[in-house]
Amino acid sequence: ITTIGAKTGQPRTMPLVSLFDGEKIGLIASNFGQKHNPGWYYNLKKQPKCTVQVGGRSVEYTARQTDGEERDKYWDMAVSFYKGYELYKIRAAHREIPVMILEPVK
């Protein structure tokens, strides 16, 4: 994913575990259960437009944060993919781990 830095305004590219759900992509901002959310989360909150490399193509997406049942759906998908997210949840008990959804720009 390539985001625009919240503080710098510069492009920031990083590999992320992605949960593919049709055209949507779910991202878990666990930061391995650390105290703070990962930098890419803050980047997407400030500038939700991003680019994702998918299958050798560059695709434009818009990000939004989920809550409620939608958040639970993607959290469950993440845990079924990697059980370590439950440990991250314990480590990050002081915060709710954000779940972001990327939707393709139409």
Side-chain angles (χ1 to χ4, degrees):
I1 186 170
T2 300
T3 62
I4 300 300
K7 293 179 182 177
T8 66
Q10 298 298 310
R12 300 290 182 223
T13 302
M14 73 275 330
L16 296 175
V17 172
S18 301
L19 305 165
F20 292 92
D21 183 23
E23 290 187 324
K24 297 179 186 177
I25 300 174
L27 302 175
I28 309 297
S30 66
N31 205 20
F32 307 101
Q34 294 181 25
K35 185 176 180 179
H36 300 286
N37 296 321
W40 62 261
Y41 166 79
Y42 297 107
N43 294 350
L44 289 175
K45 289 295 285 184
K46 183 164 184 180
Q47 173 49 265
K49 300 270 190 237
C50 61
T51 305
V52 178
Q53 295 294 320
V54 180
R57 300 181 8 239
S58 183
V59 181
E60 298 293 318
Y61 284 86
T62 301
R64 63 180 172 80
Q65 189 165 343
T66 64
D67 58 12
E69 289 181 17
E70 185 180 39
R71 183 195 179 281
D72 294 344
K73 171 189 170 181
Y74 284 93
W75 179 260
D76 291 344
M77 285 174 63
V79 170
S80 70
F81 176 75
Y82 175 61
K83 301 286 184 220
Y85 283 115
E86 286 296 347
L87 176 60
Y88 299 160
K89 183 178 177 180
I90 293 166
R91 285 185 199 155
H94 59 283
R95 65 179 175 96
E96 180 176 74
I97 295 173
V99 177
M100 301 295 284
I101 299 298
L102 306 182
E103 296 175 306
V105 174
K106 300 287 184 183

